[in-house]
Amino acid sequence: MIATVIFVLAALAAMDLARGSVRAVKDAQDVTLATWLLQKTIVELETKIETEGIEKACEKKKEGTFPEPYQKFSFVSYCSEIDFKISETVSALMDESAENDDRATRENLTQKYVLNIASDYMSKASRELHVEVTWMQGKTPRTIDVTTHVARYDLPLTVGGVPGTAPSTGTGGTGS
């Protein structure tokens, strides 16, 4: 009788261990699938920006669910402008070191102007992409996310409100 009780307890422990192992495998499969869906979504966003351009393809926020058989997973994506403030940072440094003569003031204004143009161009040419994939794992909500940056340096350069041509230093493209 004691041997039977020990055997039953051992069998119950083994079943519980097996059930936990199956659950861990299922959880790992969900994380792997969510990671694949996350990667697929971010690549689609980068490709859309590359083919259609930043202004046309960059949606501030987009939400949805994935099609069958992945309908238990949902996503939200954000495409945000990156506001570069190079001129403000450098101007503060130059003001500290500049002498109060006319030449230093003119150089400072010229440098501010050039840095403003560079800041504006970089802000227009760059975006931050953020994607989150969410699903329920049992009764627990799970989320994975990724953030990357995209830059298109083939946009026309605007100086003083007058559009120019794309810089000739490269063909542009995306980077992350």
Side-chain angles (χ1 to χ4, degrees):
M1 182 118 153
I2 294 175
T4 304
V5 170
I6 292 173
F7 175 75
V8 168
L9 290 175
L12 288 174
M15 285 178 33
D16 191 45
L17 185 63
R19 187 176 24 238
S21 177
V22 168
R23 188 177 8 200
V25 168
K26 176 66 176 130
D27 291 351
Q29 287 174 336
D30 284 349
V31 170
T32 301
L33 191 53
T35 303
W36 176 75
L37 291 168
L38 180 72
Q39 182 180 12
K40 179 180 176 296
T41 303
I42 202 80
V43 167
E44 287 172 357
L45 288 171
E46 289 174 337
T47 302
K48 188 175 179 184
I49 288 172
E50 179 66 28
T51 57
E52 296 179 18
I54 286 179
E55 294 300 322
K56 190 174 182 182
C58 191
E59 297 178 52
K60 293 214 181 291
K61 182 178 180 181
K62 184 178 178 183
E63 297 179 78
T65 57
F66 293 97
E68 294 262 351
Y70 314 113
Q71 67 276 8
K72 86 179 224 174
F73 298 92
S74 61
F75 72 92
V76 60
S77 65
Y78 303 93
C79 184
S80 309
E81 290 184 19
I82 303 170
D83 194 6
F84 290 91
K85 298 286 187 188
I86 297 172
S87 60
E88 292 176 14
T89 305
V90 174
S91 292
L93 293 172
M94 288 189 304
D95 286 343
E96 292 174 7
S97 63
E99 300 170 11
N100 287 330
D101 63 22
D102 287 339
R103 182 172 178 240
T105 302
R106 282 193 312 274
E107 286 176 1
N108 194 359
L109 290 174
T110 303
Q111 289 171 342
K112 276 185 177 179
Y113 181 70
V114 170
L115 291 170
N116 276 333
I117 292 170
S119 295
D120 289 344
Y121 184 80
M122 290 170 59
S123 294
K124 288 177 185 170
S126 304
R127 294 293 184 271
E128 179 177 278
L129 301 178
H130 180 81
V131 177
E132 299 172 3
V133 173
T134 307
W135 72 101
M136 291 299 289
Q137 202 161 37
K139 294 182 181 183
T140 306
R142 298 284 310 264
T143 301
I144 60 170
D145 61 30
V146 68
T147 300
T148 188
H149 297 89
V150 177
R152 294 271 320 237
Y153 294 116
D154 58 345
L155 302 176
L157 181 62
T158 302
V159 178
V162 179
T165 58
S168 60
T169 57
T171 59
T174 61
S176 52

